[in-house]
Amino acid sequence: MGQILLISLKTDTNNDLSITIKGGRNMSSSSIVLHHFLFLLLIVCHLTSVSSWKKDEFRNCNQTPFCKRARSRKPQHCKLIATDVRIEDGELTAKLMNPQENLDENSLIISLSVYQNGILRMKIDEDPVQNPPKKRFQVPDVVLPEFQSKKLWLQRYTKDGDSFSVYLFDGYEAVVKSDSFEVFVREQSSGKRVLSFNSHGLFDFEQLRVKKEGDEWEERFRSHTDSRPYGPQSISFDVSFYGADFVYGIPEHATSLALKPTNGPGIEESEPYRLFNLDVFEYLHESPFGLYGSIPLMLSHGKSHGTSGFFWLNAAEMQIDVLGSGWDAESSILLPDQKRIDTLWMSEAGIVDAFFFIGPKPKDVVKQYASVTGTSAMPQLFATGYHQCRWNYRDEEDVKNVDSKFDEHDIPYDVLWLDIEHTDGKRYFTWDKALFPNPEEMQKDLASRGRRMVTIVDPHIKRDDNYHIHKEASKNGYYVKDATGKDFDGWCWPGSSSYIDMVNPEIRSWWADKFSYTEYVGSTPSLYIWNDMNEPSVFNGPEVTMPRDALHYGNVEHRELHNAYGYYFHMATSEGLVKREGGKDRPFVLSRAFFPGTQRYGTVWTGDNIAEWEHLRVSVPMILTLGLTGITFSGADVGGFFGNPETELLVRWYQVAAYLPFFRGHAHHDTKRREPWLFGEHNTELIRDAIRVRYTFLPYFYTLFREANMTGVPVARPLWMEFPYDEATFNNDEAFMVGNALLVQGVYTRGAKDVTVYLPRDHTWYDLKTGTAYKGGHAQKMEVTDADIPVFQRSGTIIPRKDRFRRSTLQMENDPYTLVIAVDSSGAAEGEVYIDDGKSYEFKQGAYIHRRFIFSDGKLTSVNLAAASSTSSFVSDCTIERIILLGYSSKTKSVRIEPSNHATDVELGPLQIRSGVRSSALTIRKPNVRISDDWTIRLL
Ligand SMILES: *[C@@H]1O[C@H](CO)[C@@H](O)[C@H](O)[C@H]1NC(C)=O
């Protein structure tokens, strides 16, 4: 949710000042202090420009001193040399010092360590022997503990002139050049570079100093003053990606998948990509502006090297420039004659803790990154279905009504959501007793039809002495403190609020306990959680967030960990749901803010988007970017949060979103109702079809979620991840792959009669609806109707589906499968299915079915992929009721099934006919083999 829209002030019968915000939200408080009051008036004055992004509320680079300083530096600014190079504790370490200055003063320590599978980690921090005034913040709780065990113990380096190199990975080495200081990764044999650090000498590290008289350290922005007790402490440097045609990643921005240059000759003055978690009201659909979450991982891809990645683990505000070619034309630095993209990274605080990923394939980089920060949690099956949300479903009656309408209209869905209004005055873990008098019954009623509920729990706690959460938190000192050491008090939905300090593990554990059934009164096992506003959003704070000089546990300044605040909150909530079930079931928690590692705790959505075509379009690259940077389970509000989508836009949105990992309709308080059946029979049918298609593909999605869980490879993938040699895919973000088999082309314009689709080369593509085969390798215009968007199955793949229509995932549990086989030019195809109980952690003990289907030489075989396990098993009696073969030409008349050896029907017939296109497919009806068994089906 964004900020307040319209506010009126009145005095109620208790003589309390009450503030009514458009849409009927009510905040009553007798303790509104003057600055809040003025702030509110300020918002009222701002309302003249409603429904546009409030640019002035946010700092730009020029108003951000560290960013302005870093951007104005010229190449060769860095004068440091690396000395005292040696191997210590299996790492290569050195001192960085300025030879012109008094030698040992202000030196930095650099260390390089090498990990399995092509990962180099580099840290640069102040030298502890010089007793800096404070230890700089190093982000804990993100790097997996088991990553440490993948460290390769370095024994020696090779010295060549002033370069020191160590083995990195099969055919690659890492090099530290001492003068001028530079670090790079290269291929050993060719000397070709992959990634380099400080090749342009833009490295700068502002060391902590003790404040001297005359030091002006305070920073002002609008009405806010940041005391900055430790002065300037920023870090900046350049990173070059060699062989790169494009760079990607560093969410969250509403922008294209391939990142546009932000600085350089001929480039219109642009802001750098900002990474600073903010609650941005009505964000623009094309902007480098930082949104709700931050992942400082950039990937590059190109024809010559392939893919590489650079990740800076740092939770302070970051700004990143992608430099256009020729930006360094005036510098005299000579770099190897290799195509490359240069970038400039700037952060306000922290240390350098950087990871170089050498790839060289796209999936290698995401796997390398996942080995550092973890793969996605395995979601419960229900969470992969359709979610219906609105701010707000008013009361129990409304919930019942919406729920029954889904059944009446035969539309499947799994989860109904309640936004902030369900609480008693925005006190989370409570219910508005008038509107929701029987929350347990309500949830049980939904659960009786296999449906769940999600309620919202935000990190701002109403400062109300009668509210148990506030009482405990203030008594125990669990709140974030302001710069003076008092509980930080900011303005959010409940009015005057304080914020739980989730950085402290003891506080997280306390918070997690709040989700137990006894503490969260009115909750039941079918209730799950939504964390909003966790950037954190503070309505009267600088840039709508917490002041940077606020203090966390361990005397950490908010500026040092700002981007990780929401991550900790998400973590604690997710751990709460795990605790609630005694560690048995998987949690479901949706979060708006995120950070590296978020994928281990739950789901993310792209926040408060707008009901506009361009927002539908940008939702695709935003979700693909999240997948590239580890967070595969993400989605955008279907229909757009703000505003009323025209019907055609809403339908198109459902059609695209049905193929994206997290699928939820959501809308702002002030929008018209937009449940799927409100737009006439025809449109109800179109939306129903879109949602049903999603449900038929759930076995495939679930299998892909397991792949993401095992490897880090995302569910929704940019085309270039699957076709890394097909240049035409590198900056295509209108289409995407679901797994390696489905290509989805969105329709993003009103009244479209056709769309241009690029189908990657060297494959045949089968239209999902008609079975029509298309040769890949060129862009082609294709007709579209309002019925669906173009979706294709790639030749050589097998997709498991469940084609019977049900009300929810739970009701599909025992349904039989359909396998769709699209053969390649050699008549072969492969695919997988993964199945487990859909909710518990038993799969970790081996309670799952994992099969690979291999089709070749007219023979389909099911092979077991599950590891033999004696501790636990999962049984399913589900059978396969249909096998559809696309692109298979033969005179097949019957099939033989082994081992049972019974014959079954084969039918050659039209798959489905659309606009005159005829095509045929071979359908094997009722083979009725069990999904969990070994078998072979021979086509005779
Ligand atoms: C998969 O998901 C489970 C449950 O969320 C998690 O515990 C596990 O670490 C994940 N990764 C792997 C490789 O199983």
Side-chain angles (χ1 to χ4, degrees):
M1 253 167 293
Q3 296 167 66
I4 302 163
L5 269 183
L6 235 185
I7 296 153
S8 62
L9 305 170
K10 69 167 199 285
T11 323
D12 69 14
T13 43
N14 303 330
N15 242 352
D16 281 356
L17 183 62
S18 104
I19 299 145
T20 310
I21 300 165
K22 188 175 172 187
R25 65 190 43 253
N26 243 307
M27 300 184 289
S28 194
S29 167
S30 47
S31 62
I32 289 171
V33 290
L34 192 63
H35 75 271
H36 289 141
F37 187 83
L38 289 177
F39 162 74
L40 290 167
L41 287 180
L42 222 128
I43 291 196
V44 175
C45 301
H46 254 257
L47 286 175
T48 42
S49 62
V50 157
S51 74
S52 63
W53 180 51
K54 297 191 181 53
K55 192 176 171 195
D56 295 344
E57 278 189 11
F58 303 105
R59 296 211 297 194
N60 60 32
C61 179
N62 269 332
Q63 295 163 322
T64 307
F66 80 85
C67 186
K68 191 175 174 186
R69 283 198 297 280
R71 247 190 167 187
S72 66
R73 290 186 191 114
K74 296 272 178 290
Q76 283 157 310
H77 155 88
C78 174
K79 297 282 178 282
L80 300 178
I81 60 166
T83 65
D84 283 5
V85 180
R86 61 175 161 214
I87 302 276
E88 208 177 283
D89 290 339
E91 301 182 357
L92 183 76
T93 69
K95 268 189 182 177
L96 296 179
M97 52 177 56
N98 187 338
Q100 281 144 36
E101 278 177 16
N102 184 3
L103 270 184
D104 258 354
E105 206 175 302
N106 296 335
S107 66
L108 298 167
I109 297 290
I110 175 171
S111 71
L112 261 64
S113 45
V114 168
Y115 297 80
Q116 279 167 26
N117 303 321
I119 302 170
L120 172 70
R121 182 179 194 176
M122 178 183 76
K123 286 192 188 185
I124 304 178
D125 196 354
E126 304 197 16
D127 189 344
V129 300
Q130 292 164 34
N131 288 322
K134 186 180 185 235
K135 192 162 166 31
R136 299 176 72 111
F137 182 64
Q138 183 176 342
V139 186
D141 308 308
V142 169
V143 175
L144 291 180
E146 55 265 36
F147 179 66
Q148 215 35 44
S149 69
K150 302 199 166 103
K151 182 167 151 179
L152 307 181
W153 214 254
L154 295 176
Q155 307 282 359
R156 61 178 169 274
Y157 58 72
T158 310
K159 187 166 185 296
D160 177 12
D162 67 347
S163 292
F164 302 81
S165 55
V166 290
Y167 167 86
L168 173 53
F169 186 63
D170 199 18
Y172 293 89
E173 62 187 357
V175 183
V176 177
K177 197 160 156 290
S178 90
D179 186 10
S180 50
F181 164 61
E182 193 189 0
V183 174
F184 53 86
V185 169
R186 71 176 169 205
E187 276 178 32
Q188 259 163 332
S189 56
S190 63
K192 268 197 187 160
R193 291 185 177 202
V194 177
L195 286 160
S196 72
F197 175 94
N198 198 37
S199 300
H200 291 92
L202 291 174
F203 177 71
D204 190 272
F205 195 115
E206 295 179 321
Q207 300 199 34
L208 296 173
R209 290 177 290 139
V210 178
K211 193 169 183 172
K212 289 199 287 286
E213 235 188 85
D215 280 338
E216 283 276 347
W217 283 357
E218 291 186 349
E219 274 180 17
R220 279 171 201 85
F221 178 66
R222 289 164 67 101
S223 60
H224 301 279
T225 301
D226 172 1
S227 60
R228 293 217 310 164
Y230 301 97
Q233 46 179 309
S234 76
I235 302 172
S236 56
F237 50 77
D238 55 277
V239 176
S240 299
F241 296 85
Y242 296 82
D245 292 330
F246 295 99
V247 288
Y248 312 85
I250 56 166
E252 181 173 44
H253 307 97
T255 191
S256 52
L257 178 67
L259 297 170
K260 299 176 193 71
T262 50
N263 209 348
I267 292 159
E268 233 181 282
E269 187 134 332
S270 162
E271 287 291 305
Y273 293 101
R274 188 180 189 196
L275 285 89
F276 193 58
N277 296 2
L278 290 176
D279 178 4
V280 186
F281 178 76
E282 300 197 333
Y283 61 78
L284 302 175
H285 64 80
E286 173 53 68
S287 167
F289 192 81
L291 301 179
Y292 314 92
S294 299
I295 301 182
L297 165 66
M298 188 180 274
L299 296 91
S300 83
H301 184 70
K303 241 179 51 171
S304 51
H305 166 74
T307 320
S308 63
F310 179 82
F311 167 47
W312 185 7
L313 178 55
N314 183 305
E317 176 179 1
M318 206 180 280
Q319 302 264 5
I320 302 171
D321 266 319
V322 174
L323 302 166
S325 62
W327 72 276
D328 58 341
E330 282 159 32
S331 109
S332 57
I333 292 174
L334 281 179
L335 279 175
D337 184 23
Q338 267 179 267
K339 183 172 189 173
R340 58 164 210 277
I341 293 178
D342 299 323
T343 55
L344 171 62
W345 298 59
M346 312 160 247
S347 172
E348 188 185 357
I351 64 164
V352 178
D353 187 359
F355 298 76
F356 300 69
F357 305 117
I358 61 169
K361 291 220 173 76
K363 290 181 190 175
D364 296 330
V365 174
V366 295
K367 287 175 185 172
Q368 285 153 1
Y369 175 72
S371 75
V372 178
T373 65
T375 59
S376 303
M378 190 61 198
Q380 288 207 32
L381 179 62
F382 83 82
T384 66
Y386 176 65
H387 300 248
Q388 183 64 38
C389 186
R390 174 173 183 84
W391 175 24
N392 212 76
Y393 287 120
R394 254 185 336 264
D395 51 22
E396 289 178 3
E397 191 57 36
D398 198 5
V399 166
K400 214 179 174 70
N401 193 33
V402 170
D403 177 66
S404 65
K405 283 272 198 286
F406 271 96
D407 291 339
E408 207 174 291
H409 293 278
D410 256 334
I411 302 172
Y413 93 103
D414 265 78
V415 193
L416 201 122
W417 291 53
L418 294 180
D419 208 321
I420 51 176
E421 312 299 336
H422 82 278
T423 59
D424 171 15
K426 321 300 179 298
R427 293 169 188 86
Y428 305 106
F429 305 101
T430 69
W431 303 84
D432 182 312
K433 291 202 179 58
L435 302 175
F436 295 93
N438 302 302
E440 291 187 35
E441 265 168 52
M442 169 177 66
Q443 292 157 51
K444 283 179 183 153
D445 178 54
L446 288 174
S448 71
R449 285 178 300 286
R451 295 188 179 130
R452 333 274 161 141
M453 181 160 257
V454 166
T455 53
I456 197 165
V457 174
D458 290 353
H460 47 257
I461 302 301
K462 186 176 173 74
R463 295 189 58 81
D464 165 3
D465 292 337
N466 295 317
Y467 178 30
H468 67 288
I469 304 274
H470 172 66
K471 261 196 296 202
E472 288 175 41
S474 53
K475 188 183 91 213
N476 297 339
Y478 284 173
Y479 285 134
V480 179
K481 307 287 183 285
D482 66 19
T484 70
K486 288 204 300 281
D487 285 351
F488 170 73
D489 181 347
W491 197 259
C492 208
W493 296 127
S496 170
S497 306
S498 287
Y499 292 70
I500 309 281
D501 189 4
M502 293 297 175
V503 179
N504 182 341
E506 173 194 320
I507 302 177
R508 286 203 297 276
S509 166
W510 166 81
W511 178 257
D513 288 336
K514 297 293 159 221
F515 293 91
S516 72
Y517 298 117
T518 47
E519 293 243 15
Y520 189 171
V521 176
S523 67
T524 71
S526 62
L527 186 75
Y528 296 88
I529 302 297
W530 171 16
N531 287 161
D532 196 2
M533 313 295 275
N534 52 340
E535 294 73 26
S537 178
V538 181
F539 293 161
N540 60 342
E543 302 190 85
V544 204
T545 191
M546 195 173 271
R548 290 162 199 246
D549 55 6
L551 292 171
H552 293 267
Y553 165 72
N555 217 23
V556 177
E557 280 194 285
H558 185 69
R559 90 183 69 248
E560 300 174 282
L561 60 73
H562 171 83
N563 285 344
Y565 180 82
Y567 166 69
Y568 279 110
F569 183 61
H570 195 190
M571 178 193 293
T573 305
S574 170
E575 285 168 358
L577 290 191
V578 176
K579 255 189 183 175
R580 179 184 84 174
E581 300 307 322
K584 207 174 143 288
D585 286 344
R586 300 168 226 165
F588 173 81
V589 184
L590 178 75
S591 170
R592 191 169 68 182
F594 56 83
F595 193 65
T598 288
Q599 65 269 22
R600 310 201 297 260
Y601 300 102
T603 313
V604 153
W605 95 109
T606 61
D608 299 350
N609 59 357
I610 306 178
E612 289 172 359
W613 287 94
E614 287 306 310
H615 272 262
L616 167 60
R617 182 191 299 269
V618 82
S619 71
V620 170
M622 288 177 83
I623 291 162
L624 295 178
T625 298
L626 283 168
L628 278 176
T629 55
I631 301 184
T632 200
F633 201 9
S634 77
D637 285 346
V638 175
F641 178 67
F642 289 110
N644 296 305
E646 55 188 297
T647 306
E648 186 183 352
L649 171 60
L650 183 66
V651 169
R652 288 296 188 212
W653 210 311
Y654 272 103
Q655 290 171 342
V656 177
Y659 292 97
L660 290 167
F662 177 59
F663 186 24
R664 182 185 77 152
H666 184 37
H668 187 275
H669 211 285
D670 295 334
T671 62
K672 295 197 194 97
R673 282 289 183 131
R674 60 164 91 130
E675 287 70 43
W677 48 86
L678 294 174
F679 303 89
E681 217 168 289
H682 179 62
N683 293 303
T684 305
E685 190 179 318
L686 298 179
I687 295 174
R688 178 195 298 122
D689 280 355
I691 298 178
R692 279 184 170 182
V693 162
R694 165 58 165 236
Y695 277 79
T696 61
F697 279 114
L698 285 182
Y700 180 55
F701 271 95
Y702 199 64
T703 303
L704 293 172
F705 274 107
R706 177 57 172 162
E707 183 184 347
N709 177 239
M710 297 285 286
T711 66
V713 175
V715 172
R717 306 170 185 172
L719 298 187
W720 58 265
M721 179 171 267
E722 288 298 326
F723 310 99
Y725 305 109
D726 189 338
E727 266 177 285
T729 65
F730 292 0
N731 64 350
N732 182 333
D733 56 15
E734 297 204 336
F736 58 94
M737 295 295 293
V738 180
N740 68 1
L742 280 185
L743 184 147
V744 180
Q745 168 73 49
V747 174
Y748 309 105
T749 49
R750 177 186 303 127
K753 296 273 174 283
D754 50 52
V755 289
T756 302
V757 186
Y758 179 78
L759 295 170
R761 63 171 201 237
D762 305 328
H763 296 278
T764 300
W765 296 87
Y766 296 93
D767 181 302
L768 207 64
K769 279 275 170 87
T770 63
T772 309
Y774 295 91
K775 279 260 161 294
H778 58 278
Q780 39 205 315
K781 232 183 200 163
M782 295 191 184
E783 268 181 35
V784 288
T785 66
D786 61 359
D788 47 37
I789 56 172
V791 182
F792 305 88
Q793 185 172 343
R794 180 173 72 80
S795 58
T797 61
I798 301 179
I799 294 181
R801 302 199 309 219
K802 282 192 173 186
D803 286 358
R804 298 189 182 183
F805 299 128
R806 304 284 186 193
R807 291 173 169 190
S808 67
T809 53
L810 198 75
Q811 269 129 357
M812 293 168 69
E813 206 176 339
N814 299 316
D815 282 353
Y817 289 84
T818 293
L819 296 183
V820 185
I821 304 178
V823 300
D824 64 15
S825 51
S826 66
E830 268 190 38
E832 289 181 15
V833 68
Y834 171 84
I835 313 160
D836 61 23
D837 67 9
K839 59 186 196 17
S840 78
Y841 284 111
E842 285 284 296
F843 72 98
K844 293 173 92 176
Q845 268 71 56
Y848 62 87
I849 294 166
H850 194 179
R851 313 289 312 183
R852 174 170 292 147
F853 304 112
I854 301 167
F855 184 79
S856 68
D857 302 323
K859 192 175 82 182
L860 176 65
T861 311
S862 172
V863 181
N864 189 14
L865 291 183
S869 159
S870 50
T871 50
S872 194
S873 67
F874 176 73
V875 203
S876 165
D877 288 329
C878 289
T879 59
I880 294 171
E881 66 172 343
R882 191 186 307 126
I883 296 169
I884 299 171
L885 276 142
L886 299 169
Y888 185 71
S889 51
S890 83
K891 301 226 160 30
T892 304
K893 288 279 183 316
S894 72
V895 300
R896 192 168 68 225
I897 298 172
E898 295 156 2
S900 62
N901 212 22
H902 66 80
T904 183
D905 292 349
V906 174
E907 209 174 277
L908 198 62
L911 189 64
Q912 199 175 327
I913 293 157
R914 188 177 67 187
S915 50
V917 186
R918 283 195 78 87
S919 100
S920 61
L922 185 75
T923 304
I924 301 169
R925 301 211 183 268
K926 300 205 172 65
N928 293 343
V929 287
R930 279 155 50 102
I931 196 82
S932 56
D933 289 350
D934 290 336
W935 42 255
T936 295
I937 299 177
R938 284 178 200 280
L939 277 63
L940 305 173

